[in-house]
Amino acid sequence: MFQSFRKQIVLVSIAMLGLAGCAHVNSVALTPIPSNRTNQVRAEVSKTIFLAFSFDNDFIDPLVEDLKRQCPNGVVSGILTKDETISYVIVFTKKVTATGYCNNVAKTATNKAKPRVPSSVEEQPENSNALEME
């Protein structure tokens, strides 16, 4: 009977270790948020890694293409990106999520910038190429 109880304790302990996990947010980044926030777009990618050995970050490349696909005739701005790591003993999952707002180019380009003229530049005389000799 004691042998059977010990075996059950070992099995339950292994099951608990296998199901236990942690989640960590590694970084969060935010670009300037637009005033027009009606059309939200979201993309997410993830990669499962064994023993935390990851030799590339190529899994992130489809994230940008997914955002572009959701906003074909506009500009995505106000992008919030989250980089998370979810760990289960020896298996890790890297997850990157990007959320932003799609705005049409015609709507966002209404305030065109005027050309800037530096105020510290003085007018040059007409014959500015001539050398002055005293």
Side-chain angles (χ1 to χ4, degrees):
M1 177 168 159
F2 186 68
Q3 195 73 343
S4 173
F5 183 68
R6 183 183 290 177
K7 189 183 267 186
Q8 288 176 351
I9 293 291
V10 170
L11 289 174
V12 169
S13 299
I14 290 172
M16 289 177 65
L17 282 175
L19 297 175
C22 294
H24 307 274
V25 176
N26 299 325
S27 67
V28 175
L30 180 65
T31 62
I33 300 173
S35 59
N36 181 12
R37 297 185 294 267
T38 55
N39 188 12
Q40 188 176 36
V41 293
R42 185 172 197 265
E44 181 178 298
V45 293
S46 64
K47 177 181 181 181
T48 302
I49 306 163
F50 183 70
L51 291 176
F53 292 117
S54 178
F55 300 105
D56 61 41
N57 289 329
D58 294 343
F59 74 100
I60 296 174
D61 294 340
L63 187 77
V64 175
E65 295 304 319
D66 192 12
L67 288 175
K68 287 180 182 179
R69 183 186 51 76
Q70 293 179 46
C71 187
N73 298 323
V75 175
V76 179
S77 57
I79 301 172
L80 171 69
T81 56
K82 290 189 291 183
D83 176 13
E84 304 171 72
T85 302
I86 302 160
S87 57
Y88 300 100
V89 184
I90 60 172
V91 177
F92 296 81
T93 300
K94 294 283 290 174
K95 183 168 119 178
V96 178
T97 308
T99 307
Y101 300 97
C102 177
N103 293 310
N104 291 335
V105 176
K107 290 181 182 177
T108 58
T110 54
N111 294 332
K112 292 184 179 177
K114 297 177 183 175
R116 295 180 62 190
V117 178
S119 60
S120 62
V121 176
E122 296 177 18
E123 287 190 25
Q124 300 289 330
E126 285 183 29
N127 195 2
S128 63
N129 290 338
L131 294 174
E132 293 183 24
M133 299 184 117
E134 293 182 16

